[in-house]
Amino acid sequence: MTTWRAATVASTARLTSTARSIVLDVPGWQGNLAGQHLDLRLTAEDGYQAVRSYSIASVGPGQLVELGVDKVVDGEVSPYLVDEVRAGDQLEIRGPLGGWFVWRPADVGPVQLVAGGSGIVPLAAMIRARRTSSSVAPFRLLYSARTPDDVLFAPELDNAGDVEITFAYTRRAPDGFARKPKRLDRTDLAELTLPPADDLTVFVCGPTGFVEAVADGLVSLGHDPARVKTERFGGA
Amino acid sequence: MPAHVDGNALAGPMSELFAFDVTVATAVCGSCGDNAHMGQAMVYVSAMGHVARCRSCGDVLMVLVETPNGTMLNVRGLTGLRIAPTG
């Protein structure tokens, strides 16, 4: 049984022009698996409550829990989290949640991660978990972002050791970048991701349309649907 | 239709009710017989609650409505739910 408990904002940091890292101090937090999420509840002065799910970027011991939140235009909760919340503020959380979209360090098979926008958050947790556990499971990441300025955790990804990382951009690519900006298609997936294999696990996270296009593309390339794990964010 | 998410979104509300993690429970669709983890279902979230639909045929598997007077869980669309062993 999991239920609501108090959390305090410990610190915040800007990740991109629209995204922010929020570190919560959660007394009694018992750690989490890479890929899990938590539910966050905000209560307005008039009693109105809003609940949203956010993936957890952090792994490991301690009671500090990091979220990466990207602002959804016209959103009810994310603009507050990205623009207004500050250290010391209190909110409520429920978690950690979910055992389906998780990577465990005991899993030795190769892993292909595919991120769309802020879908990188739970996948960054998997990369962190791999590093802290000294796992040697082959990891590859394909990260689709609007522009180079929209990449979350960029410095960390630049120093991700032997994780093979490929960026793809949908609106603007860096100067001299070979691939012209466009959405990922089946050809991209064939060229930029690991081929189907019995022991390969694929994790896809991002907006709903992105996740479904990528998952369908991967299955059409021969991946076992049962090994393509997906997590959809609402909205676009 | 609003954009759907997936069964991962059920983990929190269902954890208020049950000790098991619903996302790794295997659901059998009452309409088409598809077997899938609840984490793979299509979930529509609104102010009313959560509606989980079969990834294969789209029929309703489960409806979860939280109200101040209690929570209503309708599982009419499920033939069964196999709960994974914990640990």
Side-chain angles (χ1 to χ4, degrees):
Chain A
M1 300 282 281
T2 320
T3 195
W4 297 104
R5 53 180 154 168
T8 308
V9 176
S11 63
T12 65
R14 178 99 7 222
L15 293 172
T16 71
S17 63
T18 60
R20 198 181 195 194
S21 160
I22 297 170
V23 177
L24 302 175
D25 186 344
V26 187
W29 186 259
Q30 296 287 317
N32 56 273
L33 299 169
Q36 286 190 298
H37 66 275
L38 54 73
D39 288 350
L40 192 150
R41 181 163 74 179
L42 300 175
T43 305
E45 285 178 12
D46 63 3
Y48 174 78
Q49 293 186 318
V51 177
R52 293 292 184 277
S53 297
Y54 291 103
S55 290
I56 301 166
S58 52
V59 289
Q63 61 182 48
L64 293 179
V65 183
E66 184 185 17
L67 310 178
V69 180
D70 198 19
K71 187 160 48 177
V72 178
V73 179
D74 302 329
E76 197 175 39
V77 172
S78 61
Y80 169 77
L81 294 175
V82 172
D83 296 330
E84 295 184 44
V85 85
R86 59 186 61 183
D89 286 355
Q90 293 246 315
L91 30 80
E92 291 176 294
I93 65 113
R94 179 172 62 189
L97 300 168
W100 168 246
F101 193 81
V102 299
W103 179 79
R104 293 174 173 86
D107 301 342
V108 295
V111 172
Q112 174 69 55
L113 310 172
V114 186
S118 59
I120 187 64
V121 175
L123 309 185
M126 294 177 190
I127 292 171
R128 291 177 179 185
R130 177 181 181 270
R131 187 178 63 239
T132 56
S133 66
S134 304
S135 161
V136 292
F139 259 48
R140 189 161 178 183
L141 166 67
L142 173 58
Y143 185 173
S144 173
R146 284 185 298 260
T147 77
D149 298 335
D150 293 300
V151 171
L152 276 62
F153 306 117
E156 187 174 337
L157 294 174
D158 285 342
N159 291 290
D162 57 348
V163 176
E164 191 177 347
I165 300 181
T166 308
F167 290 99
Y169 303 100
T170 56
R171 294 197 194 157
R172 178 174 57 79
D175 289 344
F177 198 73
R179 184 183 174 279
K180 72 177 199 299
K182 63 180 172 74
R183 291 188 172 186
L184 290 180
D185 57 27
R186 190 170 179 273
T187 307
D188 293 321
L189 294 171
E191 288 176 0
L192 306 175
T193 66
L194 294 167
D198 289 345
D199 60 346
L200 173 73
T201 308
V202 187
F203 294 94
V204 186
C205 186
T208 299
F210 170 88
V211 168
E212 300 201 343
V214 169
D216 289 350
L218 290 166
V219 169
S220 78
L221 291 168
H223 287 270
D224 176 358
R227 300 194 70 90
V228 178
K229 297 194 170 191
T230 55
E231 184 160 66
R232 297 160 178 82
F233 293 167
Chain B
M1 265 309 205
H4 61 277
V5 289
D6 49 49
N8 298 302
L10 292 170
M14 290 289 285
S15 72
E16 297 270 354
L17 310 175
F18 297 109
F20 65 89
D21 171 20
V22 71
T23 67
V24 296
T26 307
V28 184
C29 174
S31 283
C32 72
D34 183 57
N35 268 263
H37 292 279
M38 277 306 287
Q40 297 171 286
M42 301 184 291
V43 171
Y44 295 81
V45 184
S46 73
M48 285 294 295
H50 294 69
V51 178
R53 292 180 172 273
C54 175
R55 62 170 184 173
S56 181
C57 74
D59 270 10
V60 174
L61 298 170
M62 183 187 288
V63 181
L64 180 73
V65 180
E66 293 172 292
T67 77
N69 303 320
T71 301
M72 175 54 105
L73 178 66
N74 180 322
V75 293
R76 192 180 51 186
L78 288 173
T79 302
L81 195 61
R82 190 172 69 247
I83 290 108
T86 50

